[in-house]
Amino acid sequence: MEKHEFKITINGPREKVWKVLWDDASYRKWTSVFAPGSCAKTDWKKGSEIQFLDEKNDGMISRVEENIPNEFMSIEHLGYVKNGVEDRESEEVKKWAGAHENYTLKSANGQTVLVVDMDIVDEYKDYFTNTWPKALEKVKELSEEH
């Protein structure tokens, strides 16, 4: 597993970018780049579990490891959901369980720098290195709307 970093500068305050990242309606818009019908079932509170699901109700089980509003969110991935059934124990899950996905927002000259760093297993490296920049462009677009 390797850590990869994706970064974008957004014209707007951290509070607006944070809202775009985690409010349900905008979350669904920017994450649809990864999978149609993407949603997150959670309250985003530290320690809470998250089900990241697509339109078929398949996806991942994760946990909010840290949530510092408008600054930092750390998510730990724990397993899969397939056909509504959770898997936290299979060999496939064990390859990447414990991987982290971190979101850091920093203010710079009236703009927000959003950095996403993520642990990625080799088999998904190409997918994420191609898809994350598109997702961040969508976050930027939504954050810069007036």
Side-chain angles (χ1 to χ4, degrees):
M1 208 162 16
E2 290 180 15
K3 187 170 287 299
H4 291 267
E5 181 179 284
F6 307 94
K7 185 188 298 191
I8 196 163
T9 300
I10 298 168
N11 292 314
R14 289 183 310 181
E15 294 79 9
K16 177 133 190 217
V17 176
W18 187 264
K19 188 173 170 61
V20 165
L21 285 170
W22 310 118
D23 278 8
D24 185 58
S26 53
Y27 177 88
R28 289 172 184 261
K29 289 177 185 173
W30 74 265
T31 59
S32 68
V33 172
F34 293 103
S38 284
C39 70
K41 294 184 177 181
T42 187
D43 60 12
W44 297 115
K45 291 180 182 167
K46 183 176 178 175
S48 293
E49 284 206 351
I50 311 162
Q51 284 193 337
F52 293 108
L53 302 172
D54 64 16
E55 61 191 5
K56 298 174 193 160
N57 281 327
D58 292 338
M60 297 176 65
I61 307 158
S62 303
R63 181 176 57 86
V64 177
E65 190 162 87
E66 185 61 78
N67 180 340
I68 303 169
N70 306 315
E71 279 184 44
F72 183 72
M73 177 82 77
S74 180
I75 296 165
E76 180 183 14
H77 298 301
L78 305 172
Y80 286 126
V81 178
K82 187 76 174 161
N83 299 318
V85 178
E86 292 186 5
D87 173 7
R88 298 175 191 234
E89 303 295 327
S90 69
E91 288 306 312
E92 188 176 355
V93 165
K94 288 177 183 175
K95 282 192 247 177
W96 58 264
H100 284 83
E101 187 173 319
N102 300 313
Y103 297 76
T104 305
L105 286 75
K106 294 180 182 169
S107 297
N109 303 318
Q111 298 177 310
T112 298
V113 178
L114 169 59
V115 179
V116 177
D117 63 85
M118 181 178 180
D119 298 317
I120 302 173
V121 293
D122 283 347
E123 64 188 278
Y124 292 110
K125 184 177 170 182
D126 289 343
Y127 171 75
F128 283 117
T129 55
N130 287 320
T131 309
W132 261 113
K134 295 172 189 166
L136 291 181
E137 280 297 328
K138 189 67 176 172
V139 171
K140 178 179 173 78
E141 175 190 318
L142 293 166
S143 297
E144 292 178 352
E145 287 177 353
H146 296 289

